[in-house]
Amino acid sequence: MLETSGQLTQKDLIRETSLPSRTVRYALNRLKAEKFLIEHYYFIDARQSLYGLNNTKPQEEVVAA
């Protein structure tokens, strides 16, 4: 959804996907922990955050041989 729509709030994601709020919240937390998401301040409503995809490639772990 974020790939096609750009940045969305949690409420927008819930409305667009028709998923339960708990499921969306869990997915956002997992994606943020794995550095796939970036959370931005939402100026229109300070109680919410905007979520967008992290366009930078995550740092790959270097494995010693």
Side-chain angles (χ1 to χ4, degrees):
M1 181 59 68
L2 291 172
E3 206 170 40
T4 58
S5 300
Q7 296 183 343
L8 295 171
T9 64
Q10 183 176 327
K11 280 186 180 181
D12 292 337
L13 285 166
I14 292 166
R15 186 181 67 246
E16 296 291 324
T17 61
S18 300
L19 291 170
S21 60
R22 175 72 178 101
T23 302
V24 172
R25 190 168 48 251
Y26 176 77
L28 289 173
N29 286 333
R30 288 284 311 265
L31 291 169
K32 198 166 50 168
E34 295 293 325
K35 309 260 192 273
F36 287 108
L37 275 186
I38 297 176
E39 185 175 4
H40 297 283
Y41 184 76
Y42 188 46
F43 292 104
I44 295 172
D45 185 352
R47 297 171 294 176
Q48 298 185 56
S49 295
L50 274 177
Y51 297 95
L53 294 177
N54 184 357
N55 293 328
T56 60
K57 186 176 178 182
Q59 295 273 339
E60 294 182 17
E61 292 184 26
V62 178
V63 179

